[in-house]
Amino acid sequence: MKAMILAAGRGNRLRPLTDTLPKPLVEVCGKPLIVYHLEKLAEAGIREVVINHAWLGDKIESALGDGSRWNLQIHYSPEPEGGLETAGGIIRALPKLGDQPFIVVNGDVFTDFDFHELVRQAQELNDRSELHACLNLVPNPAHNRSGDFGIDEAGKLLQQGDLTFSGLSVLNPQVFAGIEEGFIPLAPILRTSAEQGKVLGRSFNGYWSDVGTFERLQQTEQDAGCR
């Protein structure tokens, strides 16, 4: 089983910090956000991780190396300046991810989510080949009051609801079948699959923060007890 960490974002709302530092290397309590993910993936038994990058990607590669310090093998998937959007970046990386369901983690979130659950979700998708994805959802944060999705009684994703996508998911490569590489967002693809009943939704009520602004970064450090 493999995982992908999405690390190609520019981090405009964290400028000027991200003018010289890629957003996934922004630190919470003295540790880069992306390192928390690498540690949790390794602890959950993952051994191969693909990381895409576009802005200051050389600094990401220099900071993380080949992943051996976490008992991981890291593969990098460089993208052109500006990136390829989420789906575009994943599609470019598919040759490195293989043909089985894989874990996807946004590089700029901070959470106490148990990554063993992502492994279990990947195994479920592997056993149920008709499914395209499993998304983990959190209660709507202040910056997304309108929400993204809901979950029905059968555990399938609904197009509307009072939950927000956490950036933690499992995807089946077949969700991208027939789509050529380019600048492609992920949400429309997932919504199409959800309409077909092919996407699972799971609710998570633990700690989660989208570290997208200085205010959220400061709040996250305060919540983590290092401020």
Side-chain angles (χ1 to χ4, degrees):
M1 188 180 302
K2 299 181 181 181
M4 182 171 185
I5 300 177
L6 302 175
R10 174 62 177 83
N12 284 317
R13 291 173 297 173
L14 282 169
R15 296 180 67 184
L17 178 61
T18 50
D19 285 341
T20 56
L21 185 71
K23 186 162 62 167
L25 294 185
V26 169
E27 295 185 350
V28 170
C29 299
K31 184 187 298 185
L33 285 165
I34 198 169
V35 171
Y36 286 99
H37 297 329
L38 293 171
E39 291 174 344
K40 290 164 73 75
L41 288 168
E43 197 273 332
I46 301 300
R47 292 294 170 257
E48 289 190 64
V49 178
V50 178
I51 299 175
N52 68 334
H53 59 67
W55 174 249
L56 300 177
D58 57 329
K59 291 193 174 184
I60 292 177
E61 294 196 22
S62 177
L64 305 180
D66 63 3
S68 57
R69 80 191 79 168
W70 300 285
N71 197 26
L72 294 168
Q73 182 178 4
I74 294 178
H75 308 279
Y76 295 99
S77 181
E79 298 177 15
E81 184 176 354
L84 294 172
E85 258 286 1
T86 305
I90 295 172
I91 290 168
R92 169 170 283 205
L94 283 178
K96 296 179 171 69
L97 290 164
D99 57 3
Q100 301 298 314
F102 53 88
I103 293 166
V104 181
V105 180
N106 285 8
D108 57 357
V109 299
F110 183 83
T111 181
D112 61 6
F113 188 92
D114 183 356
F115 279 27
H116 288 89
E117 178 60 24
L118 292 173
V119 173
R120 287 190 286 269
Q121 291 169 3
Q123 292 169 340
E124 181 174 6
L125 259 64
N126 193 54
D127 293 339
R128 300 176 61 186
S129 59
E130 78 279 5
L131 295 174
H132 283 175
C134 180
L135 306 189
N136 292 283
L137 311 174
V138 296
N140 290 341
H143 62 271
N144 190 40
R145 289 299 189 194
S146 60
D148 298 325
F149 300 106
I151 304 172
D152 70 14
E153 294 180 355
K156 296 291 183 69
L157 196 74
L158 295 174
Q159 294 278 11
Q160 295 180 329
D162 57 357
L163 297 171
T164 290
F165 178 42
S166 69
L168 304 169
S169 62
V170 176
L171 302 179
N172 189 323
Q174 69 181 359
V175 73
F176 303 108
I179 304 176
E180 296 185 2
E181 183 183 312
F183 187 84
I184 307 169
L186 181 60
I189 295 173
L190 293 177
R191 289 188 181 280
T192 296
S193 291
E195 287 176 356
Q196 300 168 352
K198 295 181 177 181
V199 180
L200 299 177
R202 297 290 182 264
S203 179
F204 173 65
N205 293 308
Y207 187 81
W208 175 87
S209 175
D210 174 7
V211 187
T213 65
F214 278 108
E215 292 76 17
R216 285 185 233 155
L217 174 59
Q218 292 170 347
Q219 185 62 53
T220 300
E221 291 205 309
Q222 181 175 324
D223 294 341
C226 56
R227 272 186 178 267

